[in-house]
Structures are given as C-alpha cells and as structure tokens.
Amino acid sequence: MPPEHDRRARPGDRRRDLTPRPSAGRAHARPWPGTRRRAAAERAARQRAELARGVRFRSVYLAIMGVVLAVAAMNVLLGSVGVINERRSRPLTEDERARYVAQDVARRWHAWPIGMVFPEELPYTALGRARQDARRVGVAPEAPCTAALDSQVTSVLGRYGCRTVLRATYVDQTATFVVTVGIAVLRDEEAGRRAAAELPVDDRVGVRPAAFPGTITDTFGPAQRQWTGWVGAGPYIVFATAGYADGRTRESVPPEELPNSEMVPVAQSIAGRVARALVEPPDVPRCTRGDSC
C-alpha cells in the first residue's frame, strides 16, 4: 500500500498562501469628469439664484423706502405751506371778525380797570333835557350771584351759568336819588339772551343795594328800594335799583303818592350807559396781522 501523504509541512516544503491581503498601493476611485462639471454647474446656479433673490429683496426694500421718504417729504412740504399760509397776513373773514368782537366783549368785566366798568361820573338827562352827572360813591367787592341778587332772579340766572356780580352805587347830581348798578356775568351771549327772556317782570326784585357807611348811601338797603329794572347786554344782564337818599322805605310812600318822576329815568340812564360801554364793538383789525394785508 503506498504510504499515506504526510499533511504536515515538511522542512523545505513551500506552499502558496492563498489568504488575500490588502494591497498597499491600491488606487482610490475618482469621479468622472462629467460629474465634476455638473456639481460646479449646480453650485453656480444656486449662487445665481441667491444673488437674484438678494437683488429682488433689495429692489423691494429700496422701493418701499422710496415711497416712505416721498410721503414724508410731501407731509413736510404741506405742513410748511400750511404754516406759511397761516402766518401770512390775510383779511379776516366775517366769522373771525364776529368771534373777535364776542371774545373782546366777554372778557371786559375782568380785563377792564374798574374805572372803565363803572366810571366815576356818568352823564344823564334830567327834566327839561338838562344834562347832569351822576357821581360814583363806591364799588362793592365782587360777589356770588346768590349774594348780590334776589332769589327770584338767581333761580333763572343760575340755569345760564351766572358766574359773578359786580356792583357800584351812584347818586344823582342833586343827591336826591341813590342808584346801585349790578352787572351779572353769564356764560355767553346766547345765555344772556335766553336768561333775559325768562327774568320776572317785577320792579321789586333784582340787584340788592350796595351801601357804603359814612356816605350818603349808608341807609340804602332792600327796604329802601323804590324801583328795580334790568337790561340785557351781550353776555351780561345789567341791573339797576333806585331809592331816595334820605332813607325812606317803599312802604312809607303812600300808594297814592307816586315816586319822583325823575327817579326811574335817572336809574335807567345810568344803567344804560354802563351796559352800552360793555358791549360797544371794539376796533377790529382788518387782517390777521394788524391792518397791513
């Protein structure tokens, strides 16, 4: 029998090692030239798209800013033109002239010095058309309407914003009559007209007398009133009440004896002159900046 082959390696026996080993100098895979060109083209396309979007956004932004700046510039221009036109001298309109007069009249009761509201002397016409002067004896402190007027009057004037009452007392040139003039200051001219239409027609109520101790008027009080009346004047109601300087009361005069015929005309004349001065139209400038248009 032939001897079995010895499978063990024998000395000097060389067998081929069939185990695969990595090759140290193995070449890497390289992309095809066409693949590189496509990638470069895609990158370029993306860059161009991003640039185009940036250009569009910038154009939109610039357009919006242009509109905003244009609107702002127009507003500034219109505002400047308005200021120039407002400051430029021009003739007053009829409404502006009327408003100027109303505002000037409404502030006279506190803007004028007391000598203009209640002059020291007031002319009046006596019997026989003789011109005489009434003399101011004193000016009472400014008083609330409820303190200076009778309740029958304040119940009406209170609804029309009666603010205050100014009073002064006069005597006629012969020192026979005493007259207290009272100015009730109302809210405005419309209030004055409406209040005048509602005041009671009663010569026993109106303004309360203002007496001044140590003078010829020191006995002039509510009981001494012989007559009371009033006249509307813009935003004012001008009252007058008259009596005798000797202090006689209304009740002391017999019914058959009428008060002196000069008393009422003197009181009406004094109050009328005060009222006319308060509403005398002022000199209205022709233009917004004086008289030079």
Side-chain angles (χ1 to χ4, degrees):
M1 216 176 144
E4 294 180 358
H5 294 287
D6 189 358
R7 295 181 183 277
R8 293 174 298 181
R10 297 177 181 176
D13 188 10
R14 295 182 178 178
R15 299 180 64 183
R16 181 179 295 177
D17 188 0
L18 298 179
T19 302
R21 293 183 175 86
S23 173
R26 193 173 185 178
H28 296 284
R30 297 179 180 177
W32 293 94
T35 302
R36 289 197 299 268
R37 286 195 295 272
R38 283 197 300 273
E42 290 175 356
R43 286 195 299 273
R46 286 195 298 270
Q47 291 173 354
R48 287 194 298 272
E50 292 176 357
L51 180 61
R53 283 196 299 271
V55 170
R56 286 197 300 272
F57 292 156
R58 184 173 183 272
S59 299
V60 172
Y61 173 77
L62 291 177
I64 293 174
M65 290 303 298
V67 172
V68 171
L69 292 176
V71 172
M74 182 61 68
N75 288 337
V76 171
L77 178 61
L78 293 176
S80 300
V81 172
V83 170
I84 292 173
N85 288 336
E86 185 66 24
R87 292 180 176 274
R88 185 176 59 186
S89 181
R90 60 173 177 77
L92 291 176
T93 64
E94 290 301 321
D95 288 343
E96 289 172 333
R97 293 175 64 87
R99 187 162 56 250
Y100 180 94
V101 172
Q103 291 174 350
D104 185 87
V105 169
R107 66 183 182 87
R108 288 178 178 176
W109 70 273
H110 64 83
W112 279 5
I114 197 64
M116 289 184 64
V117 178
F118 295 118
E120 292 188 2
E121 290 188 350
L122 285 173
Y124 65 92
T125 303
L127 291 180
R129 304 187 65 83
R131 183 186 182 280
Q132 296 184 344
D133 294 312
R135 178 174 55 85
R136 190 187 73 198
V137 178
V139 177
E142 182 179 332
C145 299
T146 53
L149 303 172
D150 294 312
S151 59
Q152 298 91 325
V153 174
T154 56
S155 63
V156 174
L157 299 190
R159 297 196 298 269
Y160 297 101
C162 187
R163 302 170 62 181
T164 190
V165 176
L166 309 178
R167 289 180 297 170
T169 299
Y170 291 81
V171 293
D172 71 320
Q173 186 165 314
T174 63
T176 302
F177 311 121
V178 180
V179 180
T180 292
V181 179
I183 302 171
V185 182
L186 303 186
R187 184 171 53 243
D188 52 35
E189 186 172 354
E190 177 63 20
R193 285 195 296 267
R194 297 178 65 180
E198 297 182 23
L199 283 173
V201 182
D202 187 344
D203 66 0
R204 295 169 298 175
V205 297
V207 66
R208 294 174 180 172
F212 297 89
T215 70
I216 195 175
T217 69
D218 59 358
T219 60
F220 187 44
Q224 282 71 36
R225 292 184 294 186
Q226 302 291 330
W227 173 86
T228 298
W230 53 267
V231 60
Y236 311 107
I237 302 292
V238 180
F239 293 89
T241 186
Y244 291 104
D246 59 11
R248 76 183 76 173
T249 64
R250 181 167 181 144
E251 285 73 16
S252 66
V253 178
E256 66 275 7
E257 181 182 338
L258 297 176
N260 190 296
S261 60
E262 285 190 82
M263 178 185 295
V264 174
V266 168
Q268 290 176 332
S269 179
I270 293 173
R273 288 190 175 275
V274 171
R276 285 193 295 273
L278 284 173
V279 295
E280 182 72 20
D283 293 331
V284 181
R286 294 189 306 109
C287 311
T288 56
R289 301 181 66 182
D291 290 332
S292 58
C293 297

